[in-house]
Each structure stands twice: as C-alpha cells, then as structure tokens.
Amino acid sequence: ALQLRRSPGEVCFPGGKSEASDKDEIDTALREAQEEVGLQPEKVEVVCRLMPGIDKMNHLVTPVVGFIEDTFQATPNPDEVSEVFVVPLEYFIKPSKYKALSYKTSSGFLTLMHCFIYDDQEHKKSFKIWGLTAHFAVFLALVIFGERPTFEVDYDLDNLISSSENNFINLYASIYERKKSNL
C-alpha cells in the first residue's frame, strides 16, 4: 500500500516483524499472510525456510515457503496491501523483462540486485519486482527448477545451497564488521 512507512508502493511477499506470541519464523509468516491477504494458516502446507536475507534496514528476513490451493482468493487488507497478483515461478529464471544492477549494501558488500518487470494480463498492469523480493523469488526458482537462469546470479549453480550460505555469511560479516567499527 502507498501509505506504508516502509517500502510504500513496492511489490513484496506478505511478511513483517515477529510478535511475542509468534513461536518462530513460520508462525510470523503465517500470521502476517493472514493479516495482509486473508490466507488462513491451516490452508498452508509449510515446506521449508530458505536462507535468510538482510533488508535495507539491516533486519534479518527469513522466507518461509509453503503450498496453497490454486483456488485461494486473496482478500487484501487495504491498510497494508493495494493489489495482489500471481507470477509464475518460472518467470524468475526465464523473464521477458529483466535487468541487473550492481549494488553495494550499506555495509559495503557488493552484490547483484535483480529487477523484473512483470506484465500482468489479468490486471492489465506492469509490476516492478526487485530487491529482496526478487532475490528470494530467484533463489526459490533456482532450487525448484534446478536450471540455469537466462541472467547472471551471485551463486555457484553447481553448489547452490553452500554458495547461498557463503553469500549470507559474507553479507552478515560485512554488516557485523561495520557495526563493530562504529562502537
């Protein structure tokens, strides 16, 4: 939604800060999906958690992946969500509109930022998917399809999981070193 304090008008997956009542990241993800788009937790078959990422505010973000019925009809909370749309996962390895930007994080770590433009025929509208949302979508597509994308990625595709762990450790280490030097 445009009135959000953080990332107004940007495309993102449901999510947010954990609350004291959340047992873990899965509880947080399910609660946020229910609050934002009306997805009932019992309608989700949680499959896994992916390698965490760090957002532009240096918060740890852990993606939770689950299956839902294709008949699910979102009921967006207008205070948080202006539109809901569906993108085929394969789009994140074989996009029709894509560009990459070399990006230096606030901690000095150099990485690629993926930017996709998705033309949604149902809504007759284009959506820009970039940053951490695009990063998680690309990684999930790489895991699911096991194919080389039509663009460059920051992973060793022959050792996807270990290279994603190394990328995360390098990113986290660069943030930690920066925080330590500011003390």
Side-chain angles (χ1 to χ4, degrees):
L2 290 171
Q3 70 270 19
L4 293 175
R5 284 186 325 222
R6 290 191 44 212
S7 305
E10 292 184 14
V11 171
C12 61
F13 294 113
K17 279 185 148 181
S18 63
E19 294 183 357
S21 60
D22 297 336
K23 292 184 298 207
D24 55 19
E25 297 96 342
I26 294 171
D27 261 12
T28 301
L30 294 173
R31 178 184 51 74
E32 289 285 345
Q34 183 174 14
E35 289 174 8
E36 293 178 17
V37 296
L39 179 60
Q40 300 300 313
E42 64 275 6
K43 300 285 186 180
V44 181
E45 180 186 343
V46 174
V47 178
C48 67
R49 297 174 209 173
L50 294 180
M51 181 60 56
I54 298 175
D55 71 9
K56 57 190 168 196
M57 302 299 291
N58 291 335
H59 296 119
L60 185 68
V61 179
T62 303
V64 175
V65 179
F67 292 120
I68 61 173
E69 294 291 327
D70 61 357
T71 56
F72 169 68
Q73 294 293 312
T75 50
N77 173 345
D79 292 334
E80 297 190 49
V81 179
S82 60
E83 294 183 77
V84 175
F85 62 100
V86 176
V87 181
L89 188 58
E90 189 174 37
Y91 193 79
F92 296 103
I93 56 172
K94 296 178 184 173
S96 59
K97 295 181 183 176
Y98 170 84
K99 67 179 174 180
L101 307 168
S102 194
Y103 173 73
K104 195 175 217 174
T105 66
S106 60
S107 62
F109 183 71
L110 191 63
T111 188
L112 284 177
M113 182 184 306
H114 305 287
C115 181
F116 300 86
I117 303 297
Y118 180 70
D119 295 323
D120 184 347
Q121 301 307 312
E122 182 183 336
H123 292 92
K124 307 271 188 274
K125 186 172 182 178
S126 292
F127 294 96
K128 180 179 177 182
I129 306 164
W130 65 290
L132 201 54
T133 301
H135 168 81
F136 288 144
V138 167
F139 185 74
L140 181 60
L142 292 170
V143 169
I144 297 294
F145 294 113
E147 294 179 29
R148 295 196 177 279
T150 59
F151 50 88
E152 186 180 334
V153 292
D154 283 337
Y155 302 113
D156 173 353
L157 297 174
D158 295 321
N159 298 294
L160 185 59
I161 302 302
S162 63
S163 70
S164 72
E165 290 170 345
N166 288 337
N167 284 358
F168 176 75
I169 289 167
N170 289 335
L171 176 60
Y172 182 79
S174 66
I175 290 170
Y176 176 76
E177 286 302 316
R178 186 168 154 256
K179 283 184 177 181
K180 201 166 79 173
S181 69
N182 288 337
L183 293 177

